[in-house]
Amino acid sequence: MLNLVLFGPPGAGKGTQSEKLIQKYNLVHLSTGDILRSEITQGTELGLEAKKLMDQGILVPDQVVIGMISNKLDSNKDATGFIFDGFPRTVAQAEALDELLKSKSAAISGMVALVVDNEELEKRLLNRGKDSGRPDDANPEVIRKRIVEYNSKTAPVANYYKDQDKFTSINGIGTVDEIFGSICKVVDTF
Ligand code: AP5
Ligand code: MG
């Protein structure tokens, strides 16, 4: 089983690269951001609660996203592997993911981190905000808040995987195909 964590700050290109990786490696794409947005669209109670935080650029509680991932792992029992995009975003989520996978006799194969500077991140997200309809893309202050949340709560997750010798970082600036090539070189060593 190939279980890849694609890591990086908001706008680093996790979603863009996931689309290409799922095709090449036949993986199931699990993006907690996408799952939360679909809950919002469906108007569920969970979605309504999450929206209040997401619109401010603040992380939703760990137990909410861990529960969502647990359900998705259960409903994709025949998958040959998963790509985790935007999850785990805290050390508590990373620990919970290890436990969930262990209970299925599986493990994370490795983490690939996309490195992109703040100026480029803000440029990409504001640009996407022109037509994405995502409230958290529309306002420079909320974009900066997402980056602050990332630096304080999410960046430490890299150390969690470094300690397990499962961490590689690559340059996230360049064309989508160039970056895809760099990620594949790493994934092929897993
Ligand atoms: P989430 O949906 O995960 O958003 P994010 O991580 O903040 O960032 P994005 O999805 O916007 O960026 P991305 O890295 O996927 O980049 P993309 O490929 O889209 O989370 C949203 C919110 O949900 C969070 O703030 C939080 O509230 C909540 N949440 C989600 N998961 C959570 C969790 N686990 N725990 C707690 N809360 C959680 O690319 C961005 C743009 O750049 C696009 O327009 C793209 O076309 C462009 N682009 C991509 N690659 C390139 C390139 N190489 N060159 C130029 N432009 C590029
Ligand atoms: Mg994304």
Side-chain angles (χ1 to χ4, degrees), residues 35-45 47:
I35 301 168
L36 287 166
R37 279 183 290 277
S38 122
E39 295 278 344
I40 292 173
T41 308
Q42 292 168 52
T44 66
E45 201 174 323

Side-chain angles (χ1 to χ4, degrees), residues 8-17 31-34 36-37 50 53-55 57-62 65 85-90 93 114 120 124-125 127-128 134 136-137 146 172-176 179:
K14 303 180 295 292
T16 303
Q17 296 296 333
S31 156
T32 40
D34 288 350
L36 287 166
R37 279 183 290 277
L53 297 167
M54 292 168 75
D55 286 359
I58 298 171
L59 294 186
V60 306
D62 286 336
V65 287
D85 159 5
F87 180 93
R89 242 172 162 105
T90 62
Q93 291 178 24
L114 302 172
E120 172 74 10
R124 286 184 189 179
L125 294 176
N127 192 39
R128 185 178 62 185
R134 272 179 63 169
D136 60 346
D137 280 350
R146 286 161 67 192
I173 295 188
T175 68
V176 169
I179 297 162

Side-chain angles (χ1 to χ4, degrees), residues 93-108:
Q93 291 178 24
E95 288 167 351
L97 179 59
D98 272 352
E99 287 303 312
L100 285 172
L101 290 173
K102 208 190 284 175
S103 72
K104 298 175 191 317
S105 304
I108 289 298

Side-chain angles (χ1 to χ4, degrees), residues 9-26:
K14 303 180 295 292
T16 303
Q17 296 296 333
S18 291
E19 290 306 318
K20 296 172 75 72
L21 289 161
I22 54 171
Q23 288 181 29
K24 174 159 175 162
Y25 295 101
N26 191 26

Side-chain angles (χ1 to χ4, degrees), residues 5 7 84 86-91 93-95 97 111 154 157 161:
V5 179
F7 192 67
F84 297 94
F87 180 93
R89 242 172 162 105
T90 62
V91 172
Q93 291 178 24
E95 288 167 351
L97 179 59
M111 165 182 271
T154 305
V157 176
Y161 290 96

Side-chain angles (χ1 to χ4, degrees), residues 118-151:
N118 287 357
E119 200 184 329
E120 172 74 10
L121 296 174
E122 288 183 33
K123 198 174 82 187
R124 286 184 189 179
L125 294 176
L126 275 175
N127 192 39
R128 185 178 62 185
K130 289 178 196 156
D131 52 24
S132 70
R134 272 179 63 169
D136 60 346
D137 280 350
N139 175 333
E141 256 176 53
V142 174
I143 290 176
R144 279 195 280 276
K145 177 66 186 170
R146 286 161 67 192
I147 295 173
V148 167
E149 282 279 275
Y150 173 84
N151 287 330

